[in-house]
Amino acid sequence: MTRALTLIRRRLLGSVFVLLIVVIGTFLLLEAAPGDAVDAYIVSTGGDAGMIELLRHRWGLDQSELTRLANYLWALLHLDLGQSVTFSRPIRDVILERLPNTLLLMVSATALSFGLGSTLGIYAGARPGSFRDRFLSIGSLALYAVPGFWLGLVLIVIFAVDLRWLPIGGIESLASDKTGLDRAADIAVHLVLPVCALGFIYLALYLRMMRAGMAEAWRQDFVLAARARGLSRRRIVLAHVARNALLPLVTMLGLQSAQMLGGSVVIESVFSVPGLGRLAQEAVASRDTPLLLGIILTSAVLVIIINLLVDIAYAFLDPRVGAGEASA
């Protein structure tokens, strides 16, 4: 427990500096881009010079970059993300409306890719060089090479358009008065295709990593010792080989969280899922810099939390990690 608390304290301290760099770097990059929210508004609705000046003053765009950055950092200290130019609402409220959909998509896709990928990797690595090993290895390589958006479109054409088994997109049925378990079932049905499109790509990655880890573990001395003790092949695979091959997958789980969050932007657009990905797309189209900053900051916090949980899990799986952190 002491090692875990030490690990958490060190990670949280480092996370503060990471978030500060993310906020400042993102703000400067967005400011360097041509145009702003006023330009996007005028292009879509029209307006004269007086309206442009009024909007710049109302949205604080007539101030210098350093002044706006200082004001934004001061507001963040009070957990205030500012006001959305596009929605004319507090950014925190807008993000909290979309965040559950993105989390549901990410968690479901992660559970699918990690659970099924590691299971198939164990099945393939249990007998290296066999037909099932080669078949799953080639299949995972082909699946990993498929772009997520293309896989999503193919799934829509087959299962939503041709077979009509699943809905084309959205998070739930429109104008539906379902509640409780009926609503949960409706959401689950709508998530089948986007979860598969997002999860299958990373499933291939976890399968190949698990298979490679098991191939390496088979050559270790502890496997030879287990065979010498007369243990069954099934017990050797599950208790020794797969257990040691699982550690790199836990590390990859944290590293892939940022990529899966980025992949959800594309998948949400393909399947019209109202999450952070589509919200970011809308913010970019309208040059809503405060909203885009809030989305990126929220995404960074999510990635940091996921990696913190992975570090804690890894410390319990491999005590040497926690001991190293405690003695540092």
Side-chain angles (χ1 to χ4, degrees):
M1 181 61 69
T2 303
R3 292 198 304 267
L5 292 177
T6 302
L7 180 64
I8 293 174
R9 186 170 60 250
R10 288 179 177 272
R11 292 292 188 266
L12 290 179
L13 183 61
S15 299
V16 174
F17 294 99
V18 171
L19 291 177
L20 184 62
I21 293 174
V22 168
V23 170
I24 296 177
T26 303
F27 183 89
L28 295 177
L29 285 175
L30 292 177
E31 289 297 325
D36 54 23
V38 174
D39 296 330
Y41 181 84
I42 295 300
V43 168
S44 60
T45 62
D48 53 15
M51 179 178 290
I52 293 176
E53 184 178 355
L54 177 62
L55 290 177
R56 290 190 184 279
H57 178 72
R58 178 185 301 175
W59 294 338
L61 298 176
D62 55 348
Q63 300 175 347
S64 64
E65 293 184 9
L66 292 179
T67 301
R68 279 181 284 142
L69 177 59
N71 292 337
Y72 186 77
L73 293 176
W74 177 253
L76 281 182
L77 292 177
H78 299 83
L79 302 180
D80 182 12
L81 296 177
Q83 195 84 359
S84 171
V85 174
T86 305
F87 297 93
S88 299
R89 296 173 52 200
I91 293 175
R92 181 171 54 188
D93 296 343
V94 177
I95 290 178
L96 289 179
E97 283 183 359
R98 304 288 190 97
L99 182 59
N101 296 333
T102 296
L103 289 178
L104 187 59
L105 176 61
M106 282 186 58
V107 171
S108 302
T110 300
L112 172 67
S113 60
F114 187 84
L116 187 56
S118 58
T119 301
L120 292 177
I122 293 174
Y123 183 70
R127 294 188 178 276
S130 62
F131 171 77
R132 69 188 187 192
D133 178 30
R134 295 175 181 176
F135 176 78
L136 289 174
S137 297
I138 296 174
S140 63
L141 181 61
L143 187 60
Y144 187 67
V146 175
F149 73 91
W150 186 84
L151 179 60
L153 294 175
V154 170
L155 292 176
I156 289 176
V157 171
I158 295 176
F159 294 101
V161 177
D162 292 341
L163 298 177
R164 302 187 179 219
W165 288 353
L166 296 167
I168 293 179
I171 193 67
E172 59 183 321
S173 301
L174 296 176
S176 174
D177 56 353
K178 296 179 181 178
T179 58
L181 293 178
D182 291 336
R183 187 187 180 198
D186 184 48
I187 294 175
V189 171
H190 280 77
L191 281 177
V192 170
L193 292 183
V195 166
C196 290
L198 182 59
F200 278 174
I201 306 300
Y202 299 98
L203 180 151
L205 178 63
Y206 290 126
L207 189 157
R208 294 184 63 82
M209 285 195 61
M210 190 67 182
R211 188 266 173 198
M214 291 189 66
E216 179 67 24
W218 276 115
R219 297 191 289 265
Q220 301 299 319
D221 293 337
F222 63 83
V223 175
L224 297 177
R227 285 176 171 175
R229 293 200 304 269
L231 298 180
S232 64
R233 185 179 184 88
R234 179 184 180 88
R235 185 175 179 182
I236 292 175
V237 169
L238 297 179
H240 298 278
V241 179
R243 183 179 179 181
N244 284 272
L246 189 63
L247 290 176
L249 265 71
V250 175
T251 303
M252 184 58 64
L253 186 64
L255 296 176
Q256 292 296 322
S257 60
Q259 293 190 19
M260 183 164 286
L261 186 60
S264 66
V265 176
V266 178
I267 298 302
E268 287 177 5
S269 299
V270 172
F271 291 94
S272 300
V273 177
L276 288 184
R278 286 197 67 193
L279 186 62
Q281 186 181 16
E282 296 170 8
V284 171
S286 59
R287 292 304 311 273
D288 194 342
T289 300
L291 179 57
L292 195 55
L293 276 171
I295 295 172
I296 294 175
L297 180 61
T298 303
S299 302
V301 171
L302 284 178
V303 172
I304 288 173
I305 292 175
I306 293 172
N307 280 275
L308 177 62
L309 294 176
V310 168
D311 287 339
I312 295 173
Y314 202 98
F316 281 106
L317 291 174
D318 189 353
R320 294 172 298 178
V321 176
E325 290 284 346
S327 60

